[in-house]
């Protein structure tokens, strides 16, 4: 039964990608974004505290002819003075319909992995003694991204789609007391694609 489940999962993940080979799809896009992140959620009276810089870069592969559906693979770095710096990888499925001819409204949902580096030496209590812990910790993340962009500005032989985005992440396993730990990112980015 497990092999059948794996086969169904692979078909579900790779099925849309196989369509790109059969239809003429928009070209793959390079996606670059910079912004600010904070360990916070916009609810329950919480405040945006101590924002730190964040940078993302990756590729977006449209999976339909209009380019309104896509899969993005992104790598990111975020600075954290108190929680530590972090490296991350995300896989996002996005829906980006175009309204009013050029406005691109986007919603993306995905899964990711974050490697967080502690800013100071960590310690663990083992058999009544404090021993040095690891300097880094890996955690799973579930990102949700909302964006608004302008499709497309033509420049030389490339098309540019500038956008603003808000991404909310839930980090699982960061701390026994804070799971999931919310992270908010405010981003300014651009998607770059060759003009066909």
């Amino acid at each position: 039964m497990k092999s059948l489940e794996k086969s169904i999962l692979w078909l579900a993940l790779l099925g849309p990608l196989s369509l790109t080979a059969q239809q003429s799809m928009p070209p793959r896009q390079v996606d670059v974004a910079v912004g600010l992140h904070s360990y916070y959620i916009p609810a329950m009276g919480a405040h945006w505290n101590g924002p730190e810089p964040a940078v993302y870069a990756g590729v977006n592969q449209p999976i339909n002819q209009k380019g309104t559906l896509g899969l993005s693979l992104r790598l990111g770095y975020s600075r954290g003075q108190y929680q530590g710096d972090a490296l991350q990888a995300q896989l996002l499925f996005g829906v980006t319909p175009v309204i009013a001819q050029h406005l691109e409204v986007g919603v993306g949902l995905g899964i990711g992995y974050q490697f967080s580096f502690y800013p100071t030496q960590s310690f663990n209590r083992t058999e009544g003694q404090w021993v040095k812990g690891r300097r880094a910790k890996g955690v799973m993340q579930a990102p949700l991204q909302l964006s608004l962009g302008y499709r497309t500005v033509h420049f030389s032989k490339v098309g540019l789609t500038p956008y603003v985005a808000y991404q909310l992440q839930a980090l699982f396993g960061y701390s026994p007391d804070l799971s999931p730990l919310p992270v908010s990112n405010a981003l300014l980015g651009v998607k770059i694609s060759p003009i066909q």
Side-chain angles (χ1 to χ4, degrees), residues 104-122:
E104 180 183 272
V105 179
V107 177
L109 185 62
I111 189 167
Y113 189 79
Q114 177 170 306
F115 206 58
S116 299
F117 298 90
Y118 298 124
T120 59
Q121 178 66 56
S122 65

Side-chain angles (χ1 to χ4, degrees), residues 13-187:
L13 291 173
L14 297 178
L17 293 178
S18 66
L19 293 176
T20 61
Q22 299 170 4
Q23 305 171 359
S24 68
M25 296 294 156
R28 183 175 294 133
Q29 300 170 314
V30 173
D31 186 353
V32 180
V34 296
L36 297 173
H37 85 101
S38 177
Y39 288 86
Y40 127 102
I41 186 170
M44 299 178 289
H47 299 285
W48 179 273
N49 289 321
E52 300 281 350
V55 177
Y56 288 92
V59 293
N60 178 54
Q61 176 62 61
I63 56 176
N64 68 343
Q65 288 180 332
K66 291 185 177 181
T68 57
L69 299 175
L71 285 174
S72 295
L73 176 62
R74 301 186 346 168
L75 301 177
Y77 166 79
S78 56
R79 177 86 175 100
Q81 182 178 357
Y82 301 110
Q83 285 83 10
D85 296 353
L87 298 174
Q88 52 193 281
Q90 297 178 345
L91 182 64
L92 289 170
F93 173 74
V95 179
T96 54
V98 177
I99 59 173
Q101 296 186 343
H102 293 286
L103 288 180
E104 180 183 272
V105 179
V107 177
L109 185 62
I111 189 167
Y113 189 79
Q114 177 170 306
F115 206 58
S116 299
F117 298 90
Y118 298 124
T120 59
Q121 178 66 56
S122 65
F123 289 90
N124 297 325
R125 185 107 172 132
T126 305
E127 297 176 5
Q129 295 181 347
W130 289 101
V131 295
K132 288 185 178 181
R134 294 178 293 177
R135 294 301 306 253
K137 182 174 190 172
V139 295
M140 296 296 296
Q141 64 175 216
L144 168 66
Q145 180 169 297
L146 306 173
S147 64
L148 180 63
Y150 184 87
R151 188 189 290 184
T152 299
V153 178
H154 298 284
F155 182 76
S156 188
K157 295 184 178 180
V158 297
L160 304 177
T161 303
Y163 67 88
V164 292
Y166 175 78
Q167 186 181 92
L168 179 64
Q169 301 172 9
L171 300 182
F172 295 94
Y174 186 86
S175 165
D177 301 322
L178 294 170
S179 189
L181 176 66
V183 178
S184 290
N185 293 320
L187 301 170

